[in-house]
DNA sequence: ATAAACCTTAGAGTTTAATCCAAGGTCAAG
DNA sequence: CTTGACCTTGGATTAAACTCTAAGGTTTAT
């Protein structure tokens, strides 16, 4: 059992944030002490981990509430309904995933292309990398660093 | 060449948002008309696409400005400096990527586990799926659907 | 040449997600 | 039995990212 400050410390957030999440229906402590202190158990902690992860990858608290609602009232929902919700979110996640993979590829190619030395970074552009990786990641053998001309305006 | 309203419509955002991005150094139109209208070219459009994508995967406008700064002043920066920036961002992207893959896995397993029918969704929980996928995705065969008792208040 | 539909600026208002503050209750240490 | 570090509540403030308003200039169409 964690008290609010302990759980907050565990995830490097403020106790205020936990109260905020509670007020907004994202995470309630599973019990309270006699004196009314919030007491969070391991499940609560897992739930918080989920919330923070989802937030980190770009979901709003509302999105997250949707996702968590699947758990909260699972006994009141039909499987079909749940499946629909899950599949919708899955689409969103996979769209984000695709975007991120795109970014990662571009950043990697950028990092590789870049000489890493003290020279001017004339060819170092994420946008360039994104464009090229978008079109064809082929033609990426000739990475000498002096074809200054391939610059469209 | 797009005018502000056209470009906004193209990406389903508000003209205001484009002015906001401009004020915050994220995207400036490459030219202006005689009467002072913003005129965006294809490169500007690509840049906007990048901004919106980065935003969608959880980067703040500040993060995005960092990333784009690589392009903006590329000729004024040393490759080493650029490489450092890129590699930092790449780490962030890969962390997000890992999180998202986690989510995707969980959601998929949830979707598969779920009967999809009109029955109560007693076993449908993202948290359950996350937990199990975190530990071991094994032991997922015994999915009878009737242990109604595990309900704590 | 005037109305509708654009555009300009500066600045105010909104939403989301915290974060802080004030007034007071609780608890372990001395 | 009081001090300090916790906790409670509710409401105010902040920051980011828009979103809107006001006052006016421009363009196109009739």
């Amino acid at each position: 059992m964690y008290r609010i400050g302990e759980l907050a410390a565990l995830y490097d957030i403020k106790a205020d944030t936990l109260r905020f999440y509670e007020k907004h229906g994202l995470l309630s402590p599973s019990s309270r002490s006699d004196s009314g202190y919030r007491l969070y158990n391991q499940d609560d902690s897992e739930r918080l981990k989920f919330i923070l992860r989802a937030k980190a990858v770009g979901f709003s608290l509302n999105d997250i509430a949707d996702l968590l609602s699947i758990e909260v009232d699972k006994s009141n929902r039909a499987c079909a309904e749940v499946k629909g919700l899950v599949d919708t979110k899955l689409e969103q996640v996979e769209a984000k995933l695709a975007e991120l993979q795109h970014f990662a590829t571009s950043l990697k190619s950028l990092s590789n292309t870049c000489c890493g030395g003290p020279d001017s970074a004339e060819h170092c552009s994420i946008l360039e990398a994104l464009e090229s990786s978008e079109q064809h990641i082929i033609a990426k053998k000739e990475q000498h660093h002096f074809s200054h001309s391939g610059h469209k305006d």
Side-chain angles (χ1 to χ4, degrees), chain A residues 1-152:
Chain A
M1 287 305 214
Y2 311 99
R3 285 190 302 182
I4 195 167
E6 293 168 335
L7 187 64
L10 209 61
Y11 289 97
D12 199 31
I13 59 174
K14 299 273 154 68
D16 284 317
T17 304
L18 287 172
R19 291 191 205 98
F20 177 80
Y21 288 168
E22 182 173 350
K23 195 158 67 184
H24 291 75
L26 286 160
L27 174 66
S28 296
S30 48
S31 56
R32 295 276 184 143
S33 74
D34 290 344
S35 41
Y37 285 20
R38 288 167 179 82
L39 294 173
Y40 299 88
N41 65 15
Q42 200 52 46
D43 276 7
D44 297 334
S45 173
E46 289 299 319
R47 194 180 167 93
L48 178 57
K49 196 200 279 178
F50 176 86
I51 292 168
L52 297 176
R53 277 178 165 171
K55 223 169 60 62
V57 295
F59 283 108
S60 72
L61 296 192
N62 268 347
D63 286 336
I64 299 170
D66 279 1
L67 269 168
L68 286 170
S69 76
I70 295 169
E71 203 247 354
V72 167
D73 55 5
K74 56 184 170 181
S75 57
N76 301 319
R77 278 166 184 268
C79 254
E81 200 185 339
V82 171
K83 205 180 177 71
L85 223 158
V86 169
D87 289 349
T88 303
K89 287 295 166 188
L90 185 54
E91 272 167 45
Q92 287 175 31
V93 168
E94 294 195 318
K96 276 180 202 288
L97 211 46
E99 295 287 272
L100 268 178
Q101 259 144 7
H102 215 77
F103 276 97
T105 304
S106 299
L107 287 169
K108 265 179 232 160
S109 108
L110 191 50
S111 180
N112 289 339
T113 308
C114 189
C115 60
D119 298 4
S120 144
E122 201 65 38
H123 286 275
C124 290
S125 158
I126 289 156
L127 290 178
E128 258 171 50
L130 267 174
E131 279 164 42
S132 58
S133 70
E134 217 150 318
Q135 287 152 22
H136 36 221
I137 309 107
I138 319 107
K140 184 152 291 183
K141 297 157 207 170
E142 10 186 354
Q143 283 158 8
H144 31 58
H145 219 240
F146 45 80
S147 60
H148 242 255
S149 42
H151 210 265
K152 60 185 176 223

